[in-house]
Amino acid sequence: NAGVTQTPKFQVLKTGQSMTLQCAQDMNHEYMSWYRQDPGMGLRLIHYSVGAGITDQGEVPNGYNVSRSTTEDFPLRLLSAAPSQTSVYFCATQPWDRGDEQYFGPGTRLTVT
Amino acid sequence: GNSVTQMEGPVTLSEEAFLTINCTYTATGYPSLFWYVQYPGEGLQLLLKATKADDKGSNKGFEATYRKETTSFHLEKGSVQVSDSAVYFCALINTQGGSEKLVFGKGTKLT
């Protein structure tokens, strides 16, 4: 039981490049979300999904795309990376009706130059 | 809207000192309150939680009491250890209106 896994752990991109951050969970949780963590800002919600085929925007969605074709996977796409997207990205999952049971992945540290 | 305000860090303490990290919140209704901990290089882990007024969450020697009258959920530990060095986040979920999204404070770094 791996819980929540994220790949890669580290990534450096040039401005304008695109990439996908992967998130996978084996807990059969309906609810998955992506956060970014910046110094002095805490965690901010980017996008979330309440089940396969359903996604919605969070607090800071601009510049990011998501899709949810399976319960297990919730990839985050950066279409054209910008230096402002330099951050640490966390994926989290929870059972749909248990908002007090969030499980976080280990994070992806992204640097955009 | 919902928001969480926690004391700014960093907080530097000697081993065995008493720790308090203040957290206050703004929310309608009755949110659930949480403290998460992030050790260096790792993701967030739930440290403790309280789901109704006057509840006390506790774990690993840390405690926090849900005070509705002061809208607070301060984190305390009687005797900190070097291994407690981490960033601590206060958070809430307010299920009023059907939202299950966590709202985080900005984090407090403890050394």
Side-chain angles (χ1 to χ4, degrees), chain A residues 31 35 37 40-43 45 48 90 94 96 98-102 104-106, chain B residues 34 36 38 41-44 46 49 51 89 93 98 100-102 104-107:
Chain A
Y31 193 108
Y35 294 87
Q37 182 182 27
M41 299 292 289
L43 274 79
L45 182 65
Y48 66 99
F90 289 100
Q94 69 184 65
W96 166 237
R98 292 303 305 271
D100 58 346
E101 276 190 36
Q102 285 225 358
F104 284 82
Chain B
F34 309 86
Y36 281 83
Q38 183 182 30
E42 298 184 12
L44 276 71
L46 180 64
K49 66 182 181 184
T51 57
F89 292 91
I93 280 183
E100 289 282 333
K101 295 191 280 290
L102 268 174
F104 287 91
K106 294 184 177 181

Side-chain angles (χ1 to χ4, degrees), chain B residues 10-84:
Chain B
V11 175
T12 302
L13 295 174
S14 301
E15 204 163 17
E16 299 183 3
F18 186 87
L19 168 71
T20 300
I21 301 178
N22 290 339
C23 171
T24 57
Y25 68 89
T26 301
T28 54
Y30 299 92
S32 294
L33 302 174
F34 309 86
W35 277 100
Y36 281 83
V37 58
Q38 183 182 30
Y39 298 105
E42 298 184 12
L44 276 71
Q45 303 172 26
L46 180 64
L47 179 61
L48 54 84
K49 66 182 181 184
T51 57
K52 60 182 188 296
D54 299 325
D55 266 3
K56 179 187 282 189
S58 61
N59 186 22
K60 298 182 182 180
F62 291 88
E63 292 183 342
T65 301
Y66 188 146
R67 301 277 188 210
K68 187 158 178 64
E69 64 276 13
T70 54
T71 62
S72 65
F73 193 54
H74 305 321
L75 182 69
E76 296 181 336
K77 186 173 186 183
S79 176
V80 294
Q81 306 299 312
V82 172
S83 57
D84 295 324

